[in-house]
Amino acid sequence: MNADMTPLAIRQQIRSGEFTGNTSGFAQGFVQGNLAIMPKEWANDFLQFCQLNPKPCPIVGMSGQPGAFMLPDLGEDLDIRSDIPKYRIYENGVMTAEVADVKDYWRDDLVTFVLGCSFSFEEALIADGLEVRNITEGVNVPMYRTNIECRSAGRFSGTTVVSMRPMKAADAIRAVQICTRFPSVHGAPLHLGDPSQIGISDINNPDFGDAVTIKEGELPVFWACGVTPQVAIEQAKPDFCITHSPGHMLITDLPNSRLAVL
């Protein structure tokens, strides 16, 4: 797939099944989003969880009412049931299926949340001349469970998931400066350096995504990650829930520049 295609054209290829891969590096200039869909009776607790944990769970869009699957505020002809390359189905907190669309699972009581994604700030890093290793190596970004506790809200609690990009120290400092401008897509990194300090025992064995090369003299740099809600869902155990598969994002029509605060 051509990385310069419009978001609508990419979503149409995803909907038709032509494109099924991870979306890092595609639709440059446009916001990508993590997905969490759940029954209305769970939605208020989840909304509060996101509001209390804005770094891992920054909301960039919601469905207007339960059962709505078109999200016109986020994109032209955007059908949340089919326009993500891969979805995960959770039942009582357990992932039971990974599917290419969720039309057969759709219910009239479902509320959709779209959360900001680190793929948006990757573009800003590259524009400033910084290397993003997962894009260089053509793989999904590595993601890890940590011991960093989220603030609890109603039935939702859990620990933060982080994404990692290795950098030289000077580049890591520049990355902090750049990403501070983008609080709606996780903002500045949560941690630099020693992975064990945040509960990661094996940096070469990520919990989600793919391992990347960490070169001599580089620090692992960790950002809060929008896979965090999947950990919260595992703990809260709603009877039914839909998320994206890590790295397989919703590509919106929103320009990244709209999320910058400076």
Side-chain angles (χ1 to χ4, degrees):
M1 186 171 70
N2 186 340
D4 296 325
M5 291 172 65
T6 66
L8 175 60
I10 295 174
R11 289 196 302 272
Q12 289 173 337
Q13 285 208 356
I14 291 169
R15 188 182 299 184
S16 70
E18 274 185 81
F19 180 72
T20 59
N22 85 73
T23 56
S24 176
F26 289 100
Q28 295 191 12
F30 295 92
V31 173
Q32 297 197 30
N34 301 277
L35 181 69
I37 301 174
M38 63 198 62
K40 178 183 177 182
E41 64 175 284
W42 288 81
N44 283 339
D45 280 358
F46 186 75
L47 175 60
Q48 186 181 16
F49 179 78
C50 293
Q51 290 170 334
L52 290 175
N53 299 281
K55 281 188 81 75
C57 305
I59 295 175
V60 296
M62 289 177 60
S63 52
Q65 60 189 34
F69 49 80
M70 303 302 290
L71 300 181
D73 290 345
L74 295 182
E76 179 185 351
D77 188 33
L78 195 164
D79 187 335
I80 201 62
R81 304 171 302 172
S82 59
D83 292 0
I84 286 177
K86 195 181 295 182
Y87 300 81
R88 288 184 166 183
I89 307 298
Y90 286 83
E91 296 178 81
N92 300 308
V94 177
M95 190 185 81
T96 56
E98 212 165 27
V99 295
D101 72 63
V102 295
K103 289 181 178 178
D104 292 343
Y105 293 89
W106 197 257
R107 300 173 8 180
D108 290 340
D109 67 335
L110 294 179
V111 178
T112 297
F113 296 87
V114 178
L115 310 176
C117 168
S118 61
F119 291 173
S120 291
F121 69 65
E122 287 181 343
E123 174 190 309
L125 297 177
I126 292 168
D128 203 68
L130 303 183
E131 184 198 359
V132 176
R133 188 66 43 76
N134 50 288
I135 292 181
T136 302
E137 297 186 348
V139 297
N140 199 353
V141 67
M143 294 161 271
Y144 307 83
R145 299 172 187 263
T146 73
N147 59 13
I148 302 169
E149 291 286 343
C150 294
R151 294 180 66 188
S152 300
R155 292 166 284 185
F156 287 98
S157 63
T159 54
T160 303
V161 174
V162 294
S163 60
M164 188 279 292
R165 294 156 189 83
M167 295 181 175
K168 296 176 183 176
D171 290 344
I173 292 168
R174 182 61 184 144
V176 171
Q177 295 170 328
I178 292 168
C179 291
T180 298
R181 298 174 52 227
F182 293 95
S184 295
V185 286
H186 306 307
L190 289 181
H191 182 70
L192 311 174
D194 186 357
S196 67
Q197 291 185 3
I198 56 173
I200 298 170
S201 59
D202 185 357
I203 194 70
N204 295 311
N205 188 24
D207 295 296
F208 312 94
D210 303 308
V212 297
T213 305
I214 301 176
K215 299 177 182 177
E216 188 173 349
E218 290 183 332
L219 297 168
V221 184
F222 299 94
W223 280 262
C225 175
V227 177
T228 299
Q230 297 187 19
V231 174
I233 287 163
E234 289 172 0
Q235 294 207 26
K237 296 179 171 55
D239 61 312
F240 181 74
C241 203
I242 301 169
T243 73
H244 67 293
S245 184
H248 298 73
M249 302 299 173
L250 175 68
I251 295 174
T252 77
D253 291 354
L254 301 178
N256 283 323
S257 57
R258 191 178 298 178
L259 299 186
V261 295
L262 297 172

